[in-house]
Amino acid sequence: MSEPRDPRRFERKYPLTEGELVDFRWWHRTRGRQFRRAYAERTIHNVYFDSPDWDRYGDNLSGMSSRTKCRLRWYGGLEPSGTLTFEAKHRRNALGHKGQHPIAADALGLADLPFPRLYERLRSLLPGELRLELDQGHRPALYNSYRREYYATVNGIRMTVDTGVVYAPVQGGTLRDLRPTPSAAPTVVEFKFSQGRRVEAEAELRRMPFRATRSSKYVVGVDHLR
């Protein structure tokens, strides 16, 4: 019998300026060719949740070894027949994993739902454990979106390239009322790999012309809008 798959993984992030993105594309074409296209690119949308005192933002900013971030994610448009995903992303030291639950778009009605009512409507659609995670930071706090490219090696080391990152504060009104603005670092390259691939992955990353940094789109977005 095979061992169960470990959902935990390492992540390495590289926020890039427009000029650095040109250098990254060159590296990918020449030295990073083992990262082949894995999926078609698509647009990702997120609504992040936090407490009224910004506890989740503070935990991330201070680098707490054990922290959780909750968000509602969807891809492309908000067709009534589509699906959104609620995610509680847990980080324990250098390893992360997610708790996820699909939400039917027509059940949530996000496109026309006032943000002050999102917590109550979303909570009713979640299972118990994720409901408790949402309760810890129930206030819709930030929206962002970006275009994501997906790559992977034959050994399962994943690379994503997020371009055109934009942010908007989430207060009153609905999703249609948001006016997103571009981020100062409009591109984020991220590598994801399992514990079993750590040595191999980090050997590859040492050939990168950039240095990985501790980076969170949520923290960057809050700082950007402040």
Side-chain angles (χ1 to χ4, degrees):
M1 180 181 296
S2 61
E3 295 183 2
R5 179 177 176 270
D6 188 346
R8 297 175 300 170
R9 63 187 184 184
F10 291 97
E11 298 177 351
R12 298 288 185 270
K13 298 181 181 180
Y14 300 79
L16 305 180
T17 64
E18 291 184 5
E20 290 170 333
L21 177 59
V22 174
D23 294 335
F24 167 79
R25 297 293 191 194
W26 176 86
W27 172 85
H28 189 197
R29 289 193 303 270
T30 57
R31 300 184 181 182
R33 287 175 293 177
Q34 67 274 29
F35 288 94
R36 303 294 181 87
R37 181 82 67 170
Y39 306 102
E41 64 181 79
R42 53 187 176 177
T43 299
I44 297 178
H45 305 266
N46 299 289
V47 172
Y48 295 88
F49 295 84
D50 209 328
S51 72
D53 294 326
W54 299 90
D55 290 327
R56 298 196 186 279
Y57 168 80
D59 290 348
N60 202 310
L61 191 65
S62 64
M64 286 189 63
S65 60
S66 179
R67 58 187 187 270
T68 300
K69 176 171 58 183
C70 291
R71 65 191 177 200
L72 184 65
R73 169 169 288 190
W74 67 98
Y75 301 92
L78 276 175
E79 294 78 9
S81 60
T83 302
L84 302 86
T85 303
F86 177 78
E87 297 183 344
K89 188 174 182 180
H90 307 281
R91 178 161 293 280
R92 303 294 181 266
N93 298 315
L95 286 167
H97 70 281
K98 297 176 185 176
Q100 299 177 308
H101 186 73
I103 305 290
D106 59 352
L108 186 61
L110 179 62
D112 298 301
L113 182 68
F115 282 115
R117 295 176 53 197
L118 176 56
Y119 162 64
E120 180 181 2
R121 179 78 63 82
L122 178 59
R123 189 180 192 276
S124 69
L125 300 172
L126 294 176
E129 182 176 348
L130 290 180
R131 187 180 299 172
L132 292 175
E133 296 284 7
L134 177 62
D135 288 345
Q136 301 304 309
H138 61 273
R139 179 178 59 89
L142 180 77
Y143 163 88
N144 78 354
S145 72
Y146 42 88
R147 191 72 176 170
R148 170 163 286 182
E149 304 166 27
Y150 299 84
Y151 304 90
T153 69
V154 294
N155 293 327
I157 302 171
R158 298 167 53 196
M159 179 179 77
T160 55
V161 182
D162 298 337
T163 56
V165 183
V166 297
Y167 295 100
V170 175
Q171 298 171 346
T174 69
L175 192 67
R176 302 182 193 278
D177 299 319
L178 297 180
R179 298 293 182 267
T181 59
S183 168
T187 298
V188 178
V189 176
E190 185 171 355
F191 295 85
K192 307 175 181 72
F193 47 92
S194 66
Q195 296 185 78
R197 295 294 178 189
R198 184 178 185 180
V199 173
E200 174 188 352
E202 292 187 341
E204 292 291 342
L205 296 185
R206 281 194 290 271
R207 302 187 180 99
M208 280 277 291
F210 308 104
R211 184 183 298 274
T213 62
R214 188 168 65 85
S215 177
S216 161
K217 288 190 182 72
Y218 176 58
V219 169
V220 169
V222 173
D223 290 342
H224 169 72
L225 295 173
R226 283 182 169 180

